[in-house]
């Protein structure tokens, strides 16, 4: 029953983003162009050796364009949550007295944003990549379905990390240091700059165990059909465990933030 | 009682840098020992200077801030613990910010609130029609909030705050920045809402016209506590402020000397004479005119602003 509210928030956020179509164009162009540049680089690297970290050339090209396509939905470069701005302006008061769950509300907002980004920002970079390079696009609808699940779980993880960073605004006058640092971690440990499969030794082990592995690496591995059966279930469990743990931490932080809220203005 | 606060207080701890590493903790008492009861159906003026603790106390009434001490019940609920139930009982309107979604058309903002407050469909449709008609929002429903004028936005915000039939409506500076016509619309609407629906209204404002036109009871908050609580007329009488006679003499002169009045200000040929509120103004004017050449006179009555200023400074 109450889920209707959150579903409606998702839909309305989607519609809010529709108003800003023009701004999307720039992002689409940048994501596509950088995708092509990265594709040339990995092609040059993979010329030296045909398989690196279990990926052949079509694998890594696919990884590259899926990662570019996920910049928007997974919010790999920015925090994208309005919480800090609303804390600063005092508008957060409105969000705090609504009869809805604060974290649930912002999760719904983010899901609406991610859904919009998936349609508005992801399709073109990937389609252009698929036209210009030899990508491994799954033909089996079951792989697509499995990919959708991994993607959804990934968005939950991405949200829960960014939510924690954004909530720091309740404690700090300027949260940009925290959100900026977390954005950098997301970009790097999410495997946007350098694919996680290239991280050497223990660094790779650690990186692949951190929550950010859920935002690009796991969905791509599902997309490439590298995970099935028990391995697929394990990957889901990995994403879900991080999502649950971080969302629970977020709830704790939310309760603390309520305690100490000092909404700006006398 | 709809709002019942007993010895309510709120202290903030601030850390101030006093040296390279040293930090000093200071506590600020934003609200202390505030006692207030508001009955159902009241239209209460809740006023005070900036930083007096008005907003802090209202944030406690609405369940946003947790009190540091004292007890508080609003609509029979404990604001922080029963925040969600309380939220369905209250409406909040801020003049300086909107509670609507900036980039959504009014209609969509209302639709979101419909679900958020779990308003039964029939009641929602009825209320929406009622307020849209009353506030003339018909042609604006498909306009995004960011494109609305301040007056239009305020009408949208009022509707948004009332769709769920709250028993208490908090208004923070609802007429700030509005032109005369829009102010009149808002005031008339609030008076009617209070009269027809019995909605309890707590009005915070710096516009004392709002208070004069709407509120019989006024609560003045100063230094975090109640400085005055009573009828507006009694507040005015309590502080017997003088009336002022302003005379324009034909030429600059030394301060005018007449019985029962003292000159408070001289500016060239213009002088300001304070005289008791119950003294006869006609006699005073006659007395001045018999001794000086007077070009013009005017009388300024004590307005609520003077009363409040007097109260704050005492």
């Amino acid at each position: 029953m109450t889920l209707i509210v959150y579903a409606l928030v998702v839909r309305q956020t989607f519609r809010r983003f529709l108003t800003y179509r023009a701004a999307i164009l720039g992002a689409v162009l940048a994501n596509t162009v950088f995708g092509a540049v990265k594709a040339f680089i990995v092609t040059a690297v993979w010329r030296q050796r045909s398989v690196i970290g279990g990926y052949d050339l079509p694998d890594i090209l696919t990884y590259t364009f899926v990662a570019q396509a996920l910049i928007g939905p997974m919010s790999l470069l920015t925090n994208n949550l309005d919480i800090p701005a609303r804390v600063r302006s005092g508008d957060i008061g409105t969000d705090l007295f609504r009869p809805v769950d604060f974290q649930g509300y912002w999760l719904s907002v983010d899901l609406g944003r991610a859904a919009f980004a998936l349609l508005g920002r992801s399709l073109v970079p990937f389609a252009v990549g698929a036209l210009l390079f030899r990508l491994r696009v799954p033909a089996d609808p079951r792989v697509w379905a499995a990919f959708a699940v991994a993607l959804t779980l990934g968005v939950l993880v991405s949200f829960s990390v960014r939510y924690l960073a954004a909530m720091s605004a309740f404690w700090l006058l300027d949260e940009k240091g925290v959100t900026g640092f977390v954005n950098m971690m997301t970009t790097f440990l999410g495997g946007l700059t350098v694919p996680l499969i290239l991280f050497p030794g223990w660094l790779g082990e650690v990186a692949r165990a951190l929550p950010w592995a859920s935002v690009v690496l796991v969905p791509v591995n599902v997309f490439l059909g590298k995970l099935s059966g028990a391995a697929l279930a394990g990957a889901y469990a990995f994403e879900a465990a991080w999502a649950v743990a971080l969302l629970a931490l977020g709830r704790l932080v939310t309760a603390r933030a309520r305690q100490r809220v000092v909404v700006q203005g006398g | 009682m709809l709002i019942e606060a007993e010895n309510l207080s709120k202290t903030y701890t601030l850390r101030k840098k006093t040296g390279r590493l040293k930090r000093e903790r200071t506590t600020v008492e934003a609200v202390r020992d505030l006692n207030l009861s508001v009955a159902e159906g009241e239209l209460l003026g809740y006023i005070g200077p900036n930083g007096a603790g008005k907003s802090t106390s209202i944030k406690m009434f609405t369940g946003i801030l947790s009190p540091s001490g004292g007890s508080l019940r609003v609509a029979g609920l404990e604001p922080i613990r029963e925040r969600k139930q309380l939220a369905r009982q209250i409406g909040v309107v801020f003049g300086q910010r909107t509670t609507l979604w900036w980039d959504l058309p009014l209609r969509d903002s209302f639709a979101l609130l419909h679900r958020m407050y779990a308003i039964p469909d029939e009641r929602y449709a009825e209320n929406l029609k009622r307020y849209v008609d009353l506030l003339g929002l018909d042609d604006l429903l498909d306009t995004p909030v960011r494109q609305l004028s301040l007056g239009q936005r305020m009408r949208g915000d009022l509707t948004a705050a009332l769709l769920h039939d709250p028993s208490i409506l908090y208004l923070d500076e609802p007429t700030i920045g509005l032109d005369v016509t829009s102010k009149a619309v808002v005031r008339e609407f609030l008076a009617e809402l209070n009269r027809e629906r019995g909605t309890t209204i707590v009005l915070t404002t710096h516009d004392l016209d709002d208070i004069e036109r709407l509120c019989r009871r006024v609560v003045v908050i100063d230094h975090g506590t109640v400085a005055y609580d009573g009828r507006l007329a009694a507040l005015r009488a309590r502080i017997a402020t003088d009336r002022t006679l302003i005379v324009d003499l034909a030429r600059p002169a030394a301060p005018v000397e007449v019985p029962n009045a003292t000159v408070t200000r001289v500016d060239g040929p213009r002088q300001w004479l304070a005289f008791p509120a119950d003294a006869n103004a006609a006699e005073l004017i006659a007395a001045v005119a018999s001794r000086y050449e007077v070009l013009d006179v005017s009388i300024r009555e004590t307005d609520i602003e003077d009363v409040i200023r007097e109260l704050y400074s005492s």
Side-chain angles (χ1 to χ4, degrees):
Chain A
M1 181 63 209
T2 53
L3 272 178
I4 294 177
V5 187
Y6 301 102
L8 194 62
V9 174
V10 173
R11 207 187 81 192
Q12 301 291 50
T13 312
F14 188 93
R15 296 182 59 178
R16 273 169 55 199
F17 276 92
L18 273 179
T19 353
Y20 302 106
R21 275 169 296 224
I24 301 301
L25 273 174
V28 167
L29 190 67
N31 294 170
T32 310
V33 171
F34 274 92
V37 171
K38 285 178 183 176
F40 288 128
I41 295 171
V42 294
T43 304
V45 174
W46 258 255
R47 284 249 167 79
Q48 312 300 312
R49 271 169 62 185
S50 59
V51 176
I52 307 174
Y55 274 44
D56 60 13
L57 183 60
D59 282 344
I60 191 65
L61 286 172
T62 307
Y63 178 102
T64 303
F65 281 99
V66 172
Q68 287 303 109
L70 291 183
I71 289 174
M74 296 294 179
S75 192
L76 295 176
L77 299 172
T78 52
N79 182 274
N80 256 331
L81 291 166
D82 282 339
I83 296 169
R86 290 179 73 82
V87 169
R88 241 173 282 125
S89 69
D91 284 341
I92 203 79
T94 305
D95 306 332
L96 289 168
F97 74 66
R98 296 282 188 220
V100 289
D101 183 76
F102 184 85
Q103 190 190 26
Y105 171 77
W106 284 102
L107 173 59
S108 312
V109 168
D110 203 55
L111 290 179
R113 183 203 58 76
F116 177 78
L118 193 65
L119 291 182
R121 286 184 59 175
S122 305
L123 297 180
V124 173
F126 188 80
V128 171
L131 277 175
L132 298 180
F133 299 87
R134 203 157 60 84
L135 304 190
R136 203 154 261 158
V137 182
D140 187 346
R142 278 171 305 178
V143 175
W144 280 98
F147 177 62
V149 174
L151 214 56
T152 309
L153 289 168
V155 170
L156 287 178
V157 173
S158 154
F159 165 78
S160 54
V161 172
R162 285 178 291 119
Y163 180 79
L164 286 171
M167 287 300 279
S168 71
F170 278 90
W171 283 267
L172 305 171
L173 269 182
D174 188 357
E175 81 303 331
K176 290 201 187 63
V178 174
T179 49
F181 178 73
V182 172
N183 290 341
M184 251 174 54
M185 299 283 279
T186 308
T187 310
F188 187 65
L189 293 169
L192 186 65
T193 333
V194 179
L196 288 188
I197 49 146
L198 289 182
F199 282 31
W202 63 268
L203 190 61
E205 307 267 318
V206 171
R208 286 187 288 272
L210 289 174
W212 293 285
S214 312
V215 298
V216 177
L217 186 66
V218 172
V220 170
N221 279 340
V222 174
F223 191 81
L224 290 172
K226 287 183 185 295
L227 299 171
S228 58
L232 182 61
Y236 286 163
F238 170 81
E239 290 185 289
W242 272 120
V244 168
L246 292 168
L247 285 171
L249 187 59
R251 292 203 82 72
L252 212 67
V253 168
T254 309
R256 294 297 292 270
R258 267 191 190 286
Q259 288 295 312
R260 69 152 285 136
V261 67
V262 183
V263 182
Q264 315 283 339
Chain B
M1 285 297 145
L2 214 48
I3 302 177
E4 188 105 72
E6 261 177 66
N7 298 323
L8 190 68
S9 62
K10 176 76 191 175
T11 46
Y12 297 115
T13 313
L14 296 177
R15 286 189 198 90
K16 220 167 66 186
K17 257 191 171 169
T18 50
R20 255 196 202 173
L21 293 167
K22 265 196 220 157
R23 296 218 166 167
E24 205 171 84
R25 277 168 165 252
T26 46
T27 49
V28 180
E29 281 190 297
V31 171
R32 62 187 163 91
D33 293 332
L34 184 127
N35 291 292
L36 181 73
S37 15
V38 179
E40 234 174 296
E42 280 199 79
L43 207 170
L44 180 84
Y46 198 67
I47 60 178
N50 291 323
K54 288 178 315 238
S55 298
T56 305
S57 48
I58 286 188
K59 276 166 200 158
M60 289 192 279
F61 299 161
T62 51
I64 297 177
L65 277 180
S66 55
S68 324
S71 72
L72 176 65
R73 288 194 90 73
V74 179
L77 300 165
E78 212 180 293
I80 286 288
R81 210 169 50 79
E82 299 166 291
R83 190 184 63 80
K84 282 190 200 170
Q85 287 102 296
L86 180 66
R88 298 211 163 88
Q89 299 275 330
I90 59 177
V92 183
V93 173
F94 301 105
Q96 318 237 43
R97 52 180 65 120
T98 182
T99 61
L100 301 166
W101 285 264
W102 199 240
D103 22 30
L104 286 182
L106 269 183
R107 191 190 296 282
D108 290 8
S109 273
F110 294 155
L112 255 176
L113 294 169
H114 176 193
R115 297 300 171 202
M116 269 192 178
Y117 287 86
I119 309 166
D121 293 351
E122 213 169 291
R123 200 151 60 105
Y124 170 75
E126 201 178 289
N127 282 346
L128 184 64
K129 188 181 172 333
R130 180 190 157 87
Y131 294 120
V132 163
D133 286 349
L134 266 175
L135 292 164
L137 287 173
D138 234 339
D139 302 331
L140 302 171
L141 283 175
D142 294 310
T143 313
V145 173
R146 66 190 142 80
Q147 286 172 16
L148 297 177
S149 75
L150 190 60
Q152 294 169 338
R153 203 218 76 202
M154 179 47 60
R155 287 183 272 150
D157 261 303
L158 278 169
T159 304
L162 292 167
L163 287 171
H164 58 290
D165 285 330
S167 43
I168 313 173
L169 178 64
Y170 297 96
L171 296 148
D172 188 2
E173 300 277 4
T175 56
I176 199 165
L178 298 187
D179 60 38
V180 183
T181 325
S182 304
K183 270 186 186 173
V185 169
V186 169
R187 283 176 191 146
E188 202 170 303
F189 174 78
L190 293 177
E192 196 191 312
L193 180 76
N194 176 255
R195 202 171 50 232
E196 308 279 313
R197 295 223 142 178
T199 307
T200 306
I201 298 179
V202 176
L203 172 64
T204 294
T205 182
H206 285 288
D207 186 335
L208 296 163
D209 269 355
D210 289 347
I211 304 279
E212 284 208 291
R213 274 157 217 250
L214 290 171
C215 310
R216 291 174 67 196
R217 181 181 171 198
V218 176
V219 169
V220 179
I221 302 292
D222 199 13
H223 295 106
T225 195
V226 175
Y228 177 83
D229 181 353
R231 293 176 69 100
L232 182 60
L235 173 64
R236 208 186 265 128
R238 196 174 101 162
I239 297 161
T241 321
D242 292 339
R243 289 192 284 173
T244 306
L245 175 72
I246 302 165
V247 289
D248 286 338
L249 304 174
R251 60 196 69 81
V256 169
E257 277 176 44
V258 283
N260 287 331
T262 47
V263 173
T264 54
R265 202 179 145 202
V266 176
D267 182 10
R270 177 171 287 190
Q271 302 203 2
W272 281 259
L273 282 79
F275 65 102
D278 54 357
N280 186 328
E283 277 174 17
L284 179 65
I285 294 169
V288 177
S290 68
R291 287 167 222 198
Y292 301 87
E293 195 183 333
V294 175
L295 297 181
D296 198 7
V297 295
S298 61
I299 290 179
R300 211 182 54 151
E301 295 292 332
T302 319
D303 63 10
I304 182 73
E305 222 153 320
D306 296 313
V307 176
I308 302 294
R309 201 175 301 127
E310 192 70 21
L311 192 72
Y312 290 165
S313 62
S314 62

